[in-house]
Amino acid sequence: MQFPGSISSKFPQLGTTIFTKMSALAQQHNAINLSQGFPDFPVNQYLIDRVHAHMSNGSNQYAPMGGAPTLVHAIAKKVRTYLGVDYNPATEITVTAGGTQALASAIAATIREGDEVIIFTPAYDSYVPVVELHGGIPVYVKLKHPDYHIDWDEVKVMINRKTRMIIINTPHNPTGAVLAQADLIQLAKLVEKSNILILSDEVYEHITFDQNPHYSVASHPILAERSFVVSSFGKSLHATGWKLGYILAPENLMTEFRKVHQYDVFSCNAPLQLAIADFMQHEGVFDIAPMYQQKRDFFLAQIEGSKFKPLKSSGTYFQLLDYSVISQEGDVAFAERMTTEFGVAAIPVSVFYNTPTDHKVLRFCFAKQEETLAKAGEVLRKL
Ligand SMILES: Cc1ncc(COP(=O)(O)O)c(C=O)c1O
C-alpha cells in the first residue's frame, strides 16, 4: 500500500541503522552476532517472578506520570548510595521508556531552532537526529583516537552564544572510554558562567573496569544544577527489551522535561516498574561490573594470538579491535566481509561519525555467554 499524496521526508538521509543491518546480515549468514549491544543471558528469575506477581495482582493500569512511587523512591536511594547526592523523588526523578526516550524528551524540551548542541564523535546514533528534529544544530568535536579522550581546549573554541547544550556519554559507546574527574572539572569550568545545559548519557554507569570509578555529573555540584542525567534499567538489569530507565534533573529542568514526557509516553510500564522496585530492595543488584569485566577479559583472552589489536575498554560492554594488520579495507566493507565470509558480526566504528573517519576499528559486544565468545574467538584467531 502507498500513501497517494506527497510526503516531504524530515529525514531524507536516514535509512535503517547499521545495527539492524548488521544483525540482519548476521542472521542471514548464521553468523555469531557481536554487533548489537544486548546480553544473551537471562534476566534474574526473582525479578521475572515479581513481574508475574504484579501482573497477576492487577497492577496493569497507568502508573503515575513521574513513575511508580515505590520505584522513584528506590531510585532516589540508589542515587544517594552510588552517586552520593539527593534528588527529590517527587520532582527531580522521572521514570522513562529507556534511556532513548529520556534523551529524546530532554532534547525536545530544551532545544529550539538554531540552538547549537556540542556532540562528541564517535557518538551514539540517537543524539543527532533528535537535535535536528527540533531545529538544533549539531556541532561536532572528535574524541582523540586511540584512547578517545576529550580535548577540552577544542571544546572551548566551539562554545559561543548559540551553544545551548553539551551531550556527554560516560562510560562511552562505542569506545569504552570513561571520563575522569579531571574531565568533569574542565567541563564545569567551561560552562559555569554560561547558560549551557548538559545532557549526560550514563546508561552504562554500573559497568566500569580496572578500578575506574564512574564519575557522574550528578556528583559535581556545578554540573548537577544544569544537567539531565540519563540511566537505563535495560543496561543495568540485562533487560534491554524492557525499555525502562530514568532521568534525573533539578526541579526547574525536570518541570520542562515532564511537559514533553507526559505527551511522549505519559507513563511507563506499571508492573515492570513495581517489580524493579521490589528487586532494588536487595543489596548489590547493580554491582554488575565484576561480571562484565570477567567477560571482557575472557573475550580478550580469546583473541590473544590473533592479528587484532585491542584498544583499551574501561567501561560499557564493548571492546574495540583494530584490524589494520589484517586488512586495509574500509571498516564497513571489512565488517560485512567478516560477517558473510567468516561468520562473526561486529559494528564498524566509522558509522558513529558525521564525516568519513576510518581508523580500521570494529566494535564487538562481549555481553554474551562464554560459549558464544569462545566461538567468536576461534574465528577471529584465524583471520
Ligand atoms: C550510549 C547509549 N545511550 C542510550 C542507549 C539507549 O538505552 P535504552 O536501551 O535504555 O533506551 C544506549 C543503548 O544501546 C546506548 O548505548
Side-chain angles (χ1 to χ4, degrees), residues 98-100 103 124 127 169 173 201 203-204 232 235 243:
T100 309
L103 292 163
Y124 180 62
Y127 311 147
N169 172 210
N173 175 12
D201 179 347
V203 298
Y204 299 101
S232 165
K235 305 295 179 187
K243 293 302 293 185

Side-chain angles (χ1 to χ4, degrees), residues 70-83:
T70 51
L71 183 58
V72 284
H73 279 91
I75 293 169
K77 187 168 164 226
K78 162 190 187 282
V79 169
R80 197 178 313 119
T81 306
Y82 282 91
L83 306 180

Side-chain angles (χ1 to χ4, degrees), residues 48-66:
I48 289 177
D49 291 344
R50 293 313 299 155
V51 177
H52 284 162
H54 284 293
M55 283 187 174
S56 303
N57 293 343
S59 299
N60 297 303
Q61 308 309 327
Y62 295 126
M65 194 258 277

Side-chain angles (χ1 to χ4, degrees), residues 38-49 233-242 279 285 288 291-292 295 367-372:
F38 59 83
D40 72 347
F41 42 87
V43 169
N44 180 285
Q45 189 56 47
Y46 170 75
L47 179 52
I48 289 177
D49 291 344
F233 289 119
K235 305 295 179 187
S236 304
L237 302 177
H238 326 302
T240 59
W242 289 12
F279 191 50
V285 296
I288 58 175
M291 183 269 288
Y292 277 116
K295 287 195 180 294
K368 308 291 173 189
Q369 296 180 31
E370 288 196 350
E371 192 192 348
T372 316

